[in-house]
Amino acid sequence: MFAKIGRKQLTIIFIAAVIIVAAALLFVSLKNETAQKQETESYTINKTVRYSFTIKNTENTLLKDPEFWAYAPVKQTAHQKVKSLKATHKYELTQDDLGNQIMHFKFPYLAPHAAKVITVTAQLLMSQQPNTIQEKLDINQLYLGPEANIETDDQGIKQLAAKLKKPANKETSKAINSWIENSLTYSGYIKDDRGAAYALNNKSGDCTEYAYLYTALARANQIPSRVIGGYVYKNNAILDPTDFHNWSEYYSDGKWHLVDPQGKNHEQDQQDYIAMRIISQKQENKMGNSHRFITVGKGLKVKLNK
């Protein structure tokens, strides 16, 4: 005969059973969530990039507390994740609201005419297909409407955007990209940004103007769009500053899609594009409008090495 179980024991057994069931349900939920995340994310391509800076004191005197800030690869985009980031010198890493990563290097002194070489190595995970990422800021507020070099309120841009509009965002994007490819002449590198209106009126520009014009036409059709700065390499690479490139992204169906009008590319080989900077004049950071680095210290000269 089994001994009678009292009310207290039954209560304990009931609570234990509830805890066990709850734990099991939580485990299944977490397992499903992990599986779903692994299924939807496709950052499966490993890539290593390396780049280096030479900092030099050009003065005849001791330079105290020289420092400079430089962009690292963007922490995460629809096609890129930074797995690890290392440098040959100590640095502090910050991230702005756009997702840009900024490395801050500071030294106690630099002797007269002395130089240091700083090498950065980034291990990346890349993706051919766009992934959904969590945005900190309001996409429509940030990536619709005019800003410097993206003149969506220009009459010519508005008229052309209306002609290129299609029923679906992707088809509109293709039409914009195709028009730019067939209508603009590549001018070669231009030092100063000229903007979307310049590109449209002159039918020429470098990769920056191509990207600005695409972004302006997309925004004029109420498609969020932005300009990205970085590099395009199929394999592991040592970044060459002369290869710096600008392209665009448009936002549709909850994801960012890559478009490179100067490179005649619409959502192809997206895993080759290494994002170093998400460009926006609406958000300020320490780097201002610099594409690569800024310095502090009289006589301090920094260059990105080839």
Side-chain angles (χ1 to χ4, degrees):
M1 292 288 293
F2 291 103
K4 289 184 179 181
I5 300 175
R7 179 177 296 179
K8 185 176 181 180
Q9 286 83 359
L10 284 172
T11 301
I12 293 173
I13 293 171
F14 176 75
I15 292 173
V18 169
I19 292 173
I20 292 171
V21 171
L25 290 173
L26 179 61
F27 174 78
V28 172
S29 176
L30 291 173
K31 186 177 180 181
N32 290 339
E33 184 180 341
T34 301
Q36 184 179 12
K37 185 176 181 181
Q38 290 174 343
E39 181 181 346
T40 56
E41 287 193 351
S42 56
Y43 300 98
T44 58
I45 303 168
N46 287 284
K47 184 173 292 188
T48 301
V49 296
R50 183 173 292 114
Y51 54 103
S52 66
F53 301 92
T54 296
I55 66 167
K56 184 176 182 180
N57 179 4
T58 62
E59 298 288 318
N60 238 353
T61 58
L62 185 73
L63 179 59
K64 294 183 178 180
D65 301 320
E67 54 187 320
F68 80 101
W69 291 258
Y71 280 115
V74 179
K75 179 67 176 178
Q76 183 175 8
T77 71
H79 307 95
Q80 169 180 305
K81 265 188 177 181
V82 176
K83 187 177 179 181
S84 68
L85 186 64
K86 296 179 181 179
T88 53
H89 291 71
K90 185 179 178 181
Y91 66 91
E92 293 180 356
L93 187 67
T94 59
Q95 184 173 319
D96 67 15
D97 289 337
L98 296 174
N100 294 316
Q101 294 198 111
I102 301 169
M103 306 175 78
H104 179 202
F105 296 90
K106 187 174 182 179
F107 303 91
Y109 66 89
L110 198 56
H113 300 292
K116 290 180 181 289
V117 176
I118 300 173
T119 301
V120 178
T121 302
Q123 302 284 346
L124 309 176
L125 292 172
M126 310 299 291
S127 172
Q128 162 59 25
Q129 300 301 322
N131 295 281
T132 302
I133 58 175
Q134 188 68 37
E135 297 286 343
K136 290 183 178 180
L137 303 173
D138 187 317
I139 289 175
N140 290 332
Q141 183 178 10
L142 193 59
Y143 300 119
L144 284 176
E147 63 179 282
N149 298 311
I150 304 174
E151 304 96 335
T152 57
D153 49 358
D154 177 83
Q155 194 61 32
I157 287 175
K158 290 196 293 185
Q159 290 175 354
L160 178 57
K163 292 179 182 179
L164 297 174
K165 185 175 178 58
K166 305 295 181 184
N169 286 349
K170 185 169 185 175
E171 298 308 310
T172 300
S173 176
K174 284 183 176 180
I176 293 170
N177 197 54
S178 179
W179 188 92
I180 295 174
E181 286 181 11
N182 296 321
S183 303
L184 267 61
T185 300
Y186 182 63
S187 64
Y189 173 70
I190 301 174
K191 182 178 180 180
D192 299 320
D193 292 349
R194 303 292 179 86
Y198 171 91
L200 177 59
N201 294 332
N202 292 275
K203 300 296 189 295
S204 69
D206 65 6
C207 61
T208 308
E209 273 59 58
Y210 278 66
Y212 279 141
L213 181 55
Y214 172 89
T215 297
L217 291 168
R219 290 186 185 186
N221 276 314
Q222 296 304 302
I223 302 172
S225 182
R226 63 189 184 185
V227 179
I228 307 293
Y231 299 87
V232 185
Y233 289 107
K234 188 173 184 65
N235 301 308
N236 299 337
I238 297 175
L239 304 185
D240 185 330
T242 61
D243 292 334
F244 193 83
H245 186 57
N246 289 119
W247 62 90
S248 297
E249 291 181 339
Y250 77 94
Y251 191 79
S252 184
D253 300 323
K255 297 177 181 179
W256 287 104
H257 306 265
L258 191 148
V259 181
D260 181 4
Q262 192 270 317
K264 301 184 184 303
N265 183 3
H266 193 277
E267 299 186 49
Q268 299 296 316
D269 300 320
Q270 298 174 93
Q271 74 278 4
D272 295 346
Y273 286 74
I274 301 163
M276 298 293 291
R277 181 191 176 200
I278 298 171
I279 300 173
S280 174
Q281 304 298 324
K282 294 182 178 180
Q283 290 290 311
E284 295 183 359
N285 67 26
K286 180 70 179 179
M287 303 290 287
N289 198 36
S290 171
H291 289 298
R292 303 179 193 185
F293 58 82
I294 61 170
T295 64
V296 171
K298 181 183 177 182
L300 181 66
K301 182 179 180 181
V302 178
K303 72 171 184 175
L304 185 56
N305 301 319
K306 291 185 178 182

